[in-house]
Amino acid sequence: MQVTYLVKRLNPERERSPRFEQFSLEVGEYDSVLDGLIKVREELDGSLALRCSCRAAICGSCAMRVNGEPRLMCKTRVRDVAEDGQVKVEPIGNLPVLKDLVVDMGPFWEKVRAVKPWLEPPPEKPEREYLAPNEAMREVVGALACVMCGACVSNCTVWEVDPNFLGPAALAKAHRFVADPRNSDNAERLKQLGEYTGIWDCTHCFYCVQACPKDVAPMERILALRREAIAHGYTNHNGVRHSDSFAQSVKQSGSLNEGRLAVESQGYLNLPALLGLLPVGLRALRAGKMPSPFHHKRPGAAHVKRIFEKVEGPRS
Amino acid sequence: MRAALEAKRRHADVALISKVHPVRSHSVAAQGGINAPLGQSDTWESHAYDTVKGSDYLGDQDAIEALSREAAQAVVDLENMGVAFYRGPDGRLAPRNFGGASTARTYFVGAITGHAILHVMYEQLLRAGVKIYEEWFVTSLVNEGGFTAGLVAQELLTGRFHPIQAKAIILCTGGCGRVYEPSTNALICTGDGMSLAWRAGAPLMDMEMVQYHPTTLPSNGALMTEGARGDGAYLRNALGDRFMSKYAPNKLELASRDVVSRAEQVEIDEGRGVDDGLGAKSCVYLDCTHLPREFILERLGEIYEIARQFANVDITTQPVPVRPGMHYMMGGIKTNVDGRTRVPGLYAAGECACVSVHGGNRLGANSLLDTVIFGRRAGAHAAEFARQVEFRPLSEGAVLDSERRAQEVLGRPANGDSIAKVRMELGQTMHQYAGVWRDGKGLNTALSRIYSLKERYQRAPVQDKGKVFNTNLVFHWELGYMLDNAEAILVSAIHRTESRGAHYRTDCPERDDQSWLKHIVLDYRPGAAPGIQYAPVTITRWKPEKRVY
C-alpha cells in the first residue's frame, strides 16, 4: 500500500527547532513502521537518523511515537496505525532529542542506575542454585521482560512535570529485585524507594501500562512496591496517609472528601505542612474550587461500604 | 560483558566499547536456552560427545571438553548472579529438550533466555563499575612491534575519532549474519570484529561453516526458537506428514540444525512445501497446535507474539510457515581455549571467535554457553597478560588515518550507487550461492560478484555529510567489514571440496575424513587473495564415525 510518512527531523548541526518532512513510499501488507523508516533511510534520504537493531521487539532500540503513541516501531504494523494513509513518526517524549528520531537515553539510564539494579543475594552461597518456587520466578520474568526502550517514560505524566521522578522503567526494574525470593535487602530497597522521586510520586495515570510493548505494566509494579513498603512497616508517609484517607472517605460516605484528604495526607499533627496548604486553599477559595466543608453521605453509601467490607474480608 | 566482568574481578582496569548500548547487543535475541549437564544422570562427557557429533567431528575436542566441564558451574554462576531460570516443582533449575542433545539439559527463561542473561550481565557490570563507552564505533585495531597497542573508535554522538590505548583487547563483537539476506540476525551483526582482527594479523578459521536455522519466518527472517520443537512441536510438509521420520528416524524434529534445515529444503525443493504468504511454496509448517495453550504461553510466549506480529498466525490454533534461514557463524577469529589469537594481546570470544567448539555445526543452546565460558576464560587470561606487559605507544597516525578515510568517504560525489544497494546485492548473492546447498560453480560466481561489489564499495557515496550521529557513515564502515567476511566465507567454501556439517556441496556430497578432517585457516593479505593454511582437528577421545540422528 501507498503511505505518507511524516517524520519529525532535527539536524542539530544546522537548525534549532524540529520540522516535519514528508516521504511517500510503498509498504507491504505486514510491514512494520520500522520497515518503512528503513526504506526511507535506504532509498530516499540516507541522512535520516534512528536507532534500530533486532527487528523482533527484543533489543529495545526503536521506541518512537507513531501518530502520537509511543511504541516499538518494529512491532507496529503500518496498516494498524495509518490514518488516511498517513503515518506520523516522532522521537519519544520526555527525553532530549539528539538528532531526528534519536534521543538522549542518558537520563533514562541514570534512573535505572539509581535503583541499585542488581540482585543482592544472601551472603551464604548455596552449593548450587538458590531454591525458589517457579511461580515466583514467573512473576519476576514478567518484570524482567522489560527491554528498556523508554516508551513508558515517553508517556509518563509525572516525569513530564518532575524530571527527578525515577519513572516507570526504573521502578519496574526495582520491583524485579524486590519480587525475587533470592533477594536479601528488600527492607533497605523499599525504604529508599519510598523517598521523594520514588514509588509514592506516581499518580497512577495508567499511561505507562498502555505504552509498554512488553506487557510489563510498570504502574502495577509500582503499586506492588507500595504494598510491599507498607508490609515492611514504612507507613509514615504522605502517600500511605493519602491512600488510607482516600479509602476511608469513600468507604464511609460513598465519595471522596477532598478537603479531608488534603489535610489527612499531611497528618493532623504536621503543622508546618498544614500551614503550607493555606495558600493552596486560598487560591482554591478565590477560584471557587474550595471543597465544601460539609461532606454528606451519598445515596447508596451503605452499599459502597458493603463492597469494601467484602473486598477487605474479615479483619483479624 | 562476561569477559569484562572477569577481567575486572581480577583487578584489571577495564573499559567496554560498544557500537550500541550493551543491552541492545544481539545475545539479547537468543531464545531457547543454555546447555549444561546439571541433571542427575547427565555427564559432561555426554554433553561433549553430543557437541562433537553435532560439529560433524570438526570441533576441537580439547576446547569442547573445556566447554562441557565448565558448563554446569557457569550456569549455576549465572543463576547466582540473578538469572531467573525456570524451576521444577522442587524449586531447582528445570531443563527443556533441545536439538542434537541426548538428554534434556537446556536451561531457560521462557523464550527470552538471552535477554535474561544479557541484562544480568549488564547489571553486574554496573555493580563492578566497569567503564562503558556506548555508541562508540571501532574503526581500526592498532599493533606496535607485533603487539596490541590499542584501537581507534568514532564517538557517534560527535563524530570525533578517539585513540584508546590498551595492553589487551578482547573482541566480543558477535557474528556477521547481515552478510546474508535474509538472516535471523540483528542489523548490527556485521562481522566487525572478524574483519578488524583479520586485518590486524589474526587469522580466521572455519569460515565456510554457516548455520541455517530450521525455523525462521518468511516475512522478515525472524527466529522461532528450537525450544518449540524441544517442547514438542512438529514439522509437517504440505501433505501433513512429519517428514523428519525419513531423515532422522530417532531424533525426528530434534536432530541437529544442519540435518533439519537440509531435510526441510529437500521437502520444499521436491514440491511438498507450503505457502510462505509471499506467493511461493518455500516453507514447511511448524505445528504447535497439539500443545496446550497455557503451556505455549508460559514457555514460548515470545514466539507466540512474534508469529502473531510478523506472520499473522496464532500458533496455539494454527501451524506457522517457516523455512531455513541464516542464523549463526561457526567460524571466526582463530583462538585457543583462553581466547588468545595469533596477535599478542588480542583476544576474541563468542560468535566472532572460533575456538573451535562448534566445528561444522553448532548445537542449539551451545552459543550462550560459548559466550560465558570463553568470555570468562579470555577475560581471565587478558587480565593476567595485561599485568605482565607495558603499554605500547599508540601513534597519532592511527587516528589521522581513520579521519582521512572518513573525509574521503564524506567527500564522494553522488554516482547513483549507495551503501544500501551494495549491501542488498551482497546479502542476496550469499544466500543464493552459499546457503543450505552449495557447489563450486555457484561459489565462484558469488566470489567474483563480491570482488566487483568491493570495487563499487570504494566509490559508493554516503548521503549524510554531518558529524552528529551519522549512521550513514557507520553503514559504510560496516559494509567494508561485511565484504571481508563474505570473501572469507566464499574462499573457504570453495576450498573445502567435501560436505560436512552446515557446509553441503552438491558437487561433493560426501564427508571425506581422509582429506578434510582439518580446519581451513585464512590469512589476510592486503591487495591479494587470502592466504590459505590448515590446522589439525584436535581429537581427544571421540573418533569420527558416521553421523546418524
Side-chain angles (χ1 to χ4, degrees), chain A residues 11-13 30 32 34-35 38 41-61 74-77 79-80 98-99 102 105 108-109 112-113 116-121 125-134 137-138 140-141 144-150 173 176-177 180 182 213-215, chain B residues 20-21 23-26 28-29 38-39 73 76-88 90-93 107 109 112 115-116 119-120 122-124 126-127 134-135 157 178 183-188 219-222 297-298 302 305-306 308-312 418 420 423-424 463-464 466-472 475:
Chain A
N11 181 343
E13 292 171 82
Y30 296 117
S32 66
L34 179 64
D35 291 329
I38 290 174
R41 187 172 73 180
E42 298 201 331
E43 296 171 17
L44 303 172
D45 186 348
S47 73
L48 177 67
L50 64 134
R51 291 192 182 103
C52 57
S53 181
C54 75
R55 306 162 299 132
I58 194 73
C59 79
S61 303
C74 68
K75 202 186 172 183
T76 306
R77 280 194 296 229
R79 65 167 192 181
D80 293 341
L98 296 174
K99 180 179 178 182
V102 176
M105 291 289 281
F108 176 95
W109 290 109
V112 172
R113 285 195 297 273
K116 193 183 181 188
W118 54 77
L119 187 77
E120 198 62 69
K125 265 194 145 194
E127 216 165 287
R128 265 182 41 165
E129 71 270 43
Y130 292 99
L131 297 184
N134 198 40
M137 284 296 131
R138 298 260 298 124
V140 169
V141 170
L144 70 76
C146 170
V147 296
M148 300 279 158
C149 68
K173 181 90 177 168
R176 176 252 169 280
F177 300 108
D180 195 319
R182 300 169 296 174
K214 304 301 284 186
D215 294 331
Chain B
V20 292
H21 185 282
V23 304
R24 317 287 182 220
S25 303
H26 191 53
V28 80
L38 270 166
Q73 191 57 49
V76 168
D77 286 347
L78 289 174
E79 193 282 331
N80 289 175
M81 285 189 265
V83 178
F85 288 114
Y86 276 37
R87 315 277 164 154
D90 57 354
R92 289 193 172 279
L93 302 185
Y107 295 86
V109 183
I112 56 166
H115 170 286
H119 282 249
V120 166
Y122 180 64
E123 292 162 18
Q124 295 296 316
L126 292 180
R127 178 180 208 174
E134 65 190 56
E135 297 184 327
L157 181 58
R178 299 316 304 177
S183 163
T184 63
N185 285 194
L187 301 176
I188 56 171
S219 59
N220 67 347
L297 295 182
E298 176 180 339
E302 193 66 19
E305 271 294 309
I306 290 174
R308 207 172 57 84
Q309 281 294 325
F310 303 114
N312 217 22
S418 74
R423 193 177 54 218
M424 184 54 79
Q463 274 183 288
D464 192 342
K467 288 191 170 14
V468 176
F469 230 90
N470 187 338
T471 49
N472 222 198
F475 300 149

Side-chain angles (χ1 to χ4, degrees), chain A residues 252-265:
Chain A
Q252 299 306 334
S253 67
S255 72
L256 182 61
N257 183 342
E258 290 179 271
R260 207 172 126 185
L261 180 73
V263 175
E264 286 187 346
S265 295

Side-chain angles (χ1 to χ4, degrees), chain A residues 205-261:
Chain A
C205 70
F206 277 90
Y207 271 130
C208 62
V209 177
Q210 188 182 317
C212 178
K214 304 301 284 186
D215 294 331
V216 172
M219 188 200 81
E220 303 289 351
R221 299 190 185 273
I222 296 173
L223 297 184
L225 284 170
R226 288 181 179 180
R227 288 192 293 274
E228 279 293 319
I230 292 170
H232 273 74
Y234 298 120
T235 51
N236 182 19
H237 195 287
N238 289 359
V240 183
R241 285 186 288 271
H242 180 92
S243 83
D244 282 350
S245 170
F246 200 111
Q248 280 308 314
S249 162
V250 176
K251 183 178 174 183
Q252 299 306 334
S253 67
S255 72
L256 182 61
N257 183 342
E258 290 179 271
R260 207 172 126 185
L261 180 73

